[in-house]
Amino acid sequence: NPGLLKAARSEGCTRLAPVLNRFKASKSHAPQRILGLRMMGAGSDKLGSKPKFTYLDLPLPISARGGVLRFFMLTHSIEYEENLIPRDEWTGTMKSDYIKSGKNPCGQLPVLELEGKDLGQHIATCRLLARKLETLSSDPFGDYAQDAVADEYQKWRNDFVGALFGSDEDKVAYKKSLPDWLKLFEALFGKYMHGSGPYLSESPSRKGLWGDSAIFSLLWDNMQVGFATEQELQEFPKLSAMFKAYGATEGVNPGPLQGKNKPRMIHQLAMGPLRRNTVAVI
């Protein structure tokens, strides 16, 4: 997207422009339609079948709405099969096929196939998985906290997407408004956090649930395109603590790469070895 690349340069998104340049220059990139991620653990044992995760093969280093569900499955050690759809195929006939067939009447991705059912809506799907994994919050008010933050997150996600694919002026306006979004969600975490933290609620798994996953994914996306930095996030201690704890969970970041004294990047793990030589998108 030349317009996005130009905007990244003009708006000082220093991390986005080089990533897009590498994506454009990569000769090895070919969409991998099926990626099998073997994240074995207790999570997989409690599901009746291996889920199949279908999402867009995005040409950007962002997790997007599908990434919320993907991060949730990674952090809860759910083994799943991944099916990435090129955008031109999706906007061609596949989207209308999903609507006509009833696979997803809303005509949206991601879709998770589980036990013969096609599940749309990423937040609701994460909540269903938490129930099946028997790792809902320790009491109903904890689940309420997850729901309340996940509901409000949708507005921030829409604002982020509008800026990312919008004009230069849209990006400038969004970057100016980002501290307000961070202040709002810092306050929401302060109001609704049910337990000792760093997550919105306590659960048997001691891992982030759907509200946490939504905010982690959106914070990750803002950092990936240069709208925010982890250093700037430190001004918001509750969000920063959740982001660090979620990113450090075994499924998301299992430890150092061999021969290198630094943590494995989340997007490298999430996409697996088939795409580590290209720009991995989650």
Side-chain angles (χ1 to χ4, degrees), residues 4 16 24 31 43 51 61 68 82 84 91-92 104 134 141 155-156 180-181 185 199 206 211 213 230 237 256 265 270:
L4 184 59
L16 178 57
K24 182 179 180 181
V68 177
E82 184 160 279
L84 297 180
T91 56
N104 188 348
E134 299 177 354
F141 286 104
K155 302 173 187 176
W156 184 10
D180 293 332
W181 282 117
F185 279 88
Y199 301 119
R206 298 183 179 180
S213 298
E230 193 163 355
M265 293 299 292

Side-chain angles (χ1 to χ4, degrees), residues 71 74-75 198-199 206-208 216 220 230 240-256 263-266 269:
F71 276 131
L74 287 171
T75 197
Y199 301 119
R206 298 183 179 180
K207 296 178 180 179
F216 176 83
W220 162 268
E230 193 163 355
S240 180
M242 184 279 293
F243 185 81
K244 290 179 181 178
Y246 198 112
T249 55
E250 182 179 359
V252 175
N253 193 340
R264 180 179 298 192
M265 293 299 292
I266 297 172
L269 171 65

Side-chain angles (χ1 to χ4, degrees), residues 40-138:
M40 298 301 293
S44 298
D45 296 340
K46 293 183 179 180
L47 299 180
S49 61
K50 181 196 291 187
K52 181 178 179 180
F53 172 79
T54 298
Y55 197 48
L56 295 173
D57 190 12
L58 298 171
L60 286 172
I62 58 174
S63 66
R65 287 177 170 85
V68 177
L69 178 53
R70 187 188 275 114
F71 276 131
F72 184 92
M73 291 191 290
L74 287 171
T75 197
H76 288 277
S77 302
I78 296 174
E79 181 185 10
Y80 64 96
E81 179 182 338
E82 184 160 279
N83 179 27
L84 297 180
I85 308 284
R87 288 188 302 165
D88 56 349
E89 289 189 23
W90 175 250
T91 56
T93 61
M94 191 171 291
K95 180 177 180 178
S96 60
D97 290 343
Y98 268 54
I99 296 173
K100 292 177 182 177
S101 68
K103 192 174 184 69
N104 188 348
C106 297
Q108 297 174 344
L109 294 175
V111 167
L112 190 74
E113 297 176 38
L114 179 66
E115 298 179 15
K117 294 179 173 61
D118 298 313
L119 308 175
Q121 303 301 330
H122 60 292
I123 297 297
T125 303
C126 288
R127 189 187 300 112
L128 171 68
L129 291 174
R131 181 177 294 277
K132 291 186 72 65
L133 296 177
E134 299 177 354
T135 187
L136 293 171
S137 303
S138 55

